[in-house]
Amino acid sequence: MGPSTILYSRMWTFLFLYILGINFCQADNSTQMLYAKLIIDKSATENITSMLKSFTYNNTVVEAPVMTTVCTNGTGSKECGCKPGYRWNDTFCQSNLKCCGNANCTLDKSADAKCVSNTAGLVNLEMPLMPVPYGATNQVIRCTTKEDLKTDPQWRIINSKGQYDITTGTVSTVDMSSRTNSTVNLRNVTELWNGEYSCIYHQTGNCTTSGCAVNIFNKASAQLDVALLPNIDVFTEPSFPHCKTENDILQAKAKCEINNSTEPYNVTCDGKRQLATQSGNILVYTTSKIIRCDDKTSEYTTVCTFTNRLGNVSNAKVLFNIIFAKDDYCAAEGDWEDTKANFTAVLKCTNSAGQRTRQCNLKGIWGKEESRCVNFNLYDILQNAKISGTGLGALDKNAESIFSDLTNATQNPLTINTFPNLKASVEVISTMSTILANHSVNDTTTSNHFLASSSNLLDKSLENSWNPQNTESNQNLAEKYLKSVEKLIEISNISNGSDQTNLHVQTCSEDECTNTVFNASVTVQSSGNGIVKTAGFKYLQDYLPNTTNTSNINSIVVSTTTTERGKENLQITIKFPLLTPRPRDVGLQCVSWNYNQSNWTAEGCSWGGASKPDECTCNHLTSFAILMSRYPIEIPYMTEITYAGLSASVVSLVISLLIELIVWSKVVKTNTLHLRHTAHVNISLCLLVADCCFLASSKPESISEIWCRISALLKHFCYLAMFFWMLSLSTTLLHQAVFLFHKVGKKTYLRFSLILGYVCPFLIVFITFLTNNGGAQDAYFSMKTCWLVYSGILKGTIYTFILPVGIIVFINLFAMLVVIMKLLDHRSREKSHEKEIQAAKTVLRSVILLTPIFGLPWIFGFATFILDLTAGAVTFAVNYAFVLLNAFQGLLILLTTCLGDRMTREALLDSFRKNAPPTISESSTKLESTTKKS
């Protein structure tokens, strides 16, 4: 048998194919150019050609039959080649990569070898010289037509990932400046561009709403064959070969893994040819290594070399990390093998993409596992996002598909509740934000999918995924999310009413706009008419890094953007609902996020102050929030004044009690005076205990909760008891002034005073304690002050102190007025009442002096609860007055009721005179007087 020839003949209709026994269907009245194949002996070529030239049947015409393919038979195979002007057809090329273009091929005798014309039909596709080197630049694919088909061509590619329209992107540039000569320029050829290319002209005619009567598709297809290079992953088995003794000889394996590929790589490891074993979609090349455990100086490595058809090389070095006999290591634990100290063990993720890692520290102690495992679904979405702008597919359609897939993938929080999954999701949004940066997203479906997926990531159940423990830092993750979503909102067509569960967006195009998101209202005044978009993010404030150690974020994060026309002369007013009520002594700060420095900054924003505590005013656009200080506002020198005053009071009160002890027998000469000095002693004791508790709890942050509670309890009781003893003093004085002839015994007065001075305050404190959750924190007392709680007007336990004190002060004032009026008429009374009247005057003077000493400070104290420390100088003045008057109460008592009382002062001086040793002159006088008497 001599050489055989394959003949392809062009035909314009179907009959010849039918005669040859080939079935074919045609629709829409379109005309196509078809090929038929005849395999004949070379010697019969001339006769068969002449027969075909004269063949016609029912308007079927065979045009110029020509020889396209020549094969020469050999032993068990045949050598085939294409005639000039012809190439191997695309299907044959895809299944026989060595037979692309017009290269000669050695084939099995049964192989169906086909060559087609380079200029077949109306449409011609010119491909680069193949195979194309991996990473080649400026590769041009040209589509030409013999005539103007009155329509633009459509470029398509079928590759390993699917079918795509080819558009202008970061890798491909489609030039359609001429309908008869269109090109695709590839700036960087990788495996993504390895596939079948089609240039399609779709002609239509007689179109109605029900369709077109004429549909003609003129198409040329060709395979772009790329000589690929692989991405290589390397491993050793075991991961860390372990020498038990220095005499051991180990055999370890080096593994180089690549994704399954059509490229026929020539693979060698350390110069030896390797064959692959397939595991799923992975090709594994394995070689063995002998390791001598007594040789610590040699570096044990293996180099795997992958060479493609063009001789391009990709190398991978495999390093064996050996645990020698005396090396520290972490013992195998679960999935983790023995691992050398100061190394990180790596395991592939199961049923997901990525790796798991675990550090073995210098001392051979395992750290905690860190997972970088990502759901295959999310991983594929991220890979598609990365190539969405290359030119594989129209960017708008790619964006819609990616955000739709992301919405579905994040719909169920339980499927993405890990940091790696959350990070991959944010990476998808960030990647699309970058790719779409100079592109408007006008499709509302895409916008809705983008908003839905972004909202899904803020689900409350994902809180631990945003704030992972013992894994890579998320410091930039929330910032990346915010920046990306903010940019996508700016370029997207978003309509009001598209709010999601955790993400609200409102728009406005007026000159003065007010948008409301999650009850936060943003008013933008601008000189332009740009579209203002405001977004509110639930829970994002908890995930953005707090860049200050003194404040906490106390509002949701609100982002405001606008178009270019509205970015000048901006005035933005934001009213935030505070997440935590603001104490009056704590300031707020309006801040915006600075992307350049990755921190909160107050630049360009001001707070509304005490009168507008939830309002911020800013002069620029970005993301805003309110920070609340963790610590109350510090009033200068308040601590020093408090310590000095209380210390002076404690010393003064001790002196007062000592004076009372010294002069008691000399000054207590009437029932009225007995009551006065008894009350003075008890008042001093109560104030002394209260001041000591005040000093002990002056730094609440340094004491325990139980001691803070005890301190608040004692201060509550002692301060109340102090005022009730004042009430006892004034009421008994009033009784004596009104009922002149009603004498009451000393024991009755004392019994009444003890009940009023201690039982009444005890009952108030006891009932308050029990009715506020047994003295619970923030119900009965505050850990910030170790004092009673103020929750607003007539709210809080502080009123169980303020109201009784206010009543007592009022009664004291009333009693003083009555007593003064009665004493003015004392001249008409009998002289026998003179001592009682003088005693009453003394008691009255004590009441008059002590009432402002005790009452006035707490009037200022009540004002400090009402006034806001952020209000300014007036509030500071009131606080200074309260601290000064309250801290120096003990000193004032000493000066007014002890040293300021004539009877007490004279009795004290008499006591000092009696106890003083006699002088020489006094002794001589006494001796002389004694001598004269004798």
Side-chain angles (χ1 to χ4, degrees), residues 254-555:
K255 292 186 174 182
C256 294
E257 299 182 357
I258 65 170
N259 289 329
N260 194 9
S261 174
T262 56
E263 181 69 25
Y265 293 111
N266 179 23
V267 181
T268 61
C269 292
D270 292 340
K272 297 180 181 179
R273 179 74 180 269
Q274 298 292 324
L275 297 178
T277 58
Q278 189 164 350
S279 176
N281 196 42
I282 302 297
L283 298 178
V284 183
Y285 297 85
T286 306
T287 184
S288 297
K289 194 77 171 182
I290 302 299
I291 298 170
R292 296 181 58 89
C293 293
D294 58 352
D295 182 9
K296 294 185 178 181
T297 59
S298 299
E299 181 182 61
Y300 291 91
T301 61
T302 291
V303 177
C304 292
T305 302
F306 290 75
T307 307
N308 65 14
R309 287 168 290 161
L310 294 178
N312 304 132
V313 172
S314 181
N315 292 320
K317 183 178 181 180
V318 186
L319 176 64
F320 293 86
N321 296 306
I322 303 165
I323 306 173
F324 289 100
K326 295 181 180 180
D327 287 349
D328 290 328
Y329 69 97
C330 293
E333 186 178 288
D335 294 342
W336 304 97
E337 301 176 345
D338 291 347
T339 299
K340 192 172 183 177
N342 202 30
F343 279 79
T344 299
V346 179
L347 291 177
K348 286 184 178 180
C349 296
T350 304
N351 299 324
S352 56
Q355 297 176 334
R356 298 155 53 201
T357 61
R358 196 176 183 188
Q359 176 72 28
C360 177
N361 69 16
L362 283 169
K363 296 181 179 179
I365 299 174
W366 280 114
K368 291 189 177 181
E369 176 183 333
E370 293 190 8
S371 172
R372 295 179 178 85
C373 301
V374 177
N375 295 348
F376 282 128
N377 192 17
L378 280 176
Y379 179 81
D380 290 340
I381 295 171
L382 179 57
Q383 302 312 308
N384 289 335
K386 290 179 178 178
I387 66 171
S388 62
T390 59
L392 288 174
L395 184 54
D396 289 338
K397 291 183 179 180
N398 288 346
E400 195 278 330
S401 175
I402 289 166
F403 284 125
S404 175
D405 292 343
L406 185 62
T407 300
N408 294 330
T410 58
Q411 194 70 41
N412 183 359
L414 294 177
T415 63
I416 60 167
N417 60 348
T418 65
F419 178 72
N421 283 331
L422 196 63
K423 183 180 180 182
S425 302
V426 173
E427 285 290 342
V428 172
I429 297 175
S430 176
T431 300
M432 295 308 299
S433 171
T434 301
I435 293 173
L436 294 168
N438 298 315
H439 189 86
S440 296
V441 181
N442 296 318
D443 183 53
T444 55
T445 303
T446 303
S447 300
N448 290 335
H449 283 313
F450 144 64
L451 292 175
S453 58
S454 300
S455 174
N456 291 343
L457 299 184
L458 293 178
D459 190 90
K460 183 64 175 176
S461 63
L462 297 175
E463 180 178 7
N464 292 332
S465 299
W466 277 100
N467 298 308
Q469 296 179 350
N470 304 311
T471 187
E472 58 189 278
S473 171
N474 74 319
Q475 181 169 351
N476 295 322
L477 185 61
E479 179 186 34
K480 180 181 288 187
Y481 170 90
L482 177 60
K483 185 176 183 179
S484 303
V485 173
E486 190 178 76
K487 183 61 181 177
L488 285 170
I489 288 174
E490 184 177 354
I491 64 176
S492 297
N493 178 19
I494 298 175
S495 59
N496 291 333
S498 58
D499 291 341
Q500 304 295 323
T501 305
N502 303 305
L503 176 59
H504 285 185
V505 181
Q506 289 289 299
T507 65
C508 174
S509 58
E510 304 296 329
D511 187 53
E512 178 177 330
C513 289
T514 298
N515 294 325
T516 302
V517 290
F518 294 118
N519 296 322
S521 66
V522 180
T523 300
V524 179
Q525 294 180 348
S526 148
S527 61
N529 294 316
I531 298 176
V532 176
K533 299 178 183 178
T534 300
F537 302 86
K538 251 188 180 179
Y539 312 119
L540 185 61
Q541 72 277 357
D542 297 328
Y543 312 140
L544 282 167
N546 191 349
T547 56
T548 172
N549 295 324
T550 59
S551 302
N552 290 322
I553 303 176
N554 197 28
S555 70

Side-chain angles (χ1 to χ4, degrees), residues 611-630:
S611 60
K612 299 177 180 178
D614 60 347
E615 186 172 298
C616 293
T617 302
C618 300
N619 58 14
H620 59 87
L621 294 170
T622 186
S623 299
F624 305 99
I626 280 187
L627 297 182
M628 184 170 76
S629 175
R630 296 178 183 173

Side-chain angles (χ1 to χ4, degrees), residues 458-703:
L458 293 178
D459 190 90
K460 183 64 175 176
S461 63
L462 297 175
E463 180 178 7
N464 292 332
S465 299
W466 277 100
N467 298 308
Q469 296 179 350
N470 304 311
T471 187
E472 58 189 278
S473 171
N474 74 319
Q475 181 169 351
N476 295 322
L477 185 61
E479 179 186 34
K480 180 181 288 187
Y481 170 90
L482 177 60
K483 185 176 183 179
S484 303
V485 173
E486 190 178 76
K487 183 61 181 177
L488 285 170
I489 288 174
E490 184 177 354
I491 64 176
S492 297
N493 178 19
I494 298 175
S495 59
N496 291 333
S498 58
D499 291 341
Q500 304 295 323
T501 305
N502 303 305
L503 176 59
H504 285 185
V505 181
Q506 289 289 299
T507 65
C508 174
S509 58
E510 304 296 329
D511 187 53
E512 178 177 330
C513 289
T514 298
N515 294 325
T516 302
V517 290
F518 294 118
N519 296 322
S521 66
V522 180
T523 300
V524 179
Q525 294 180 348
S526 148
S527 61
N529 294 316
I531 298 176
V532 176
K533 299 178 183 178
T534 300
F537 302 86
K538 251 188 180 179
Y539 312 119
L540 185 61
Q541 72 277 357
D542 297 328
Y543 312 140
L544 282 167
N546 191 349
T547 56
T548 172
N549 295 324
T550 59
S551 302
N552 290 322
I553 303 176
N554 197 28
S555 70
I556 65 168
V557 176
V558 172
S559 170
T560 299
T561 61
T562 186
T563 55
E564 291 294 334
R565 292 179 296 165
K567 289 188 177 180
E568 298 178 356
N569 304 320
L570 286 175
Q571 182 180 345
I572 304 174
T573 303
I574 312 163
K575 290 187 177 180
F576 288 100
L578 299 181
L579 301 178
T580 303
R582 181 187 70 91
R584 296 163 299 94
D585 60 348
V586 172
L588 298 181
Q589 187 179 34
C590 296
V591 293
S592 60
W593 186 258
N594 186 326
Y595 289 108
N596 294 327
Q597 300 177 1
S598 295
N599 62 7
W600 292 108
T601 176
E603 184 178 353
C605 290
S606 60
W607 178 46
S611 60
K612 299 177 180 178
D614 60 347
E615 186 172 298
C616 293
T617 302
C618 300
N619 58 14
H620 59 87
L621 294 170
T622 186
S623 299
F624 305 99
I626 280 187
L627 297 182
M628 184 170 76
S629 175
R630 296 178 183 173
Y631 311 104
I633 294 174
E634 292 288 341
I635 302 177
Y637 306 111
M638 285 288 281
T639 303
E640 291 79 0
I641 294 173
T642 301
Y643 280 129
L646 289 176
S647 300
S649 287
V650 168
V651 173
S652 300
L653 291 169
V654 171
I655 294 173
S656 295
L657 292 171
L658 290 175
I659 291 173
E660 288 290 348
L661 182 64
I662 293 170
V663 304
W664 183 270
S665 60
K666 295 182 179 181
V667 297
V668 180
K669 295 179 179 180
T670 66
N671 289 349
T672 304
L673 290 173
H674 182 272
L675 173 62
R676 183 253 185 186
H677 286 278
T678 300
H680 177 249
V681 169
N682 284 278
I683 288 171
S684 297
L685 281 172
C686 291
L687 185 57
L688 179 62
V689 174
D691 284 350
C692 289
C693 291
F694 204 105
L695 279 172
S697 61
S698 59
K699 291 186 177 180
E701 68 278 1
S702 63
I703 62 176

Side-chain angles (χ1 to χ4, degrees), residues 148 282 799:
D148 186 356
I282 302 297
Y799 287 98

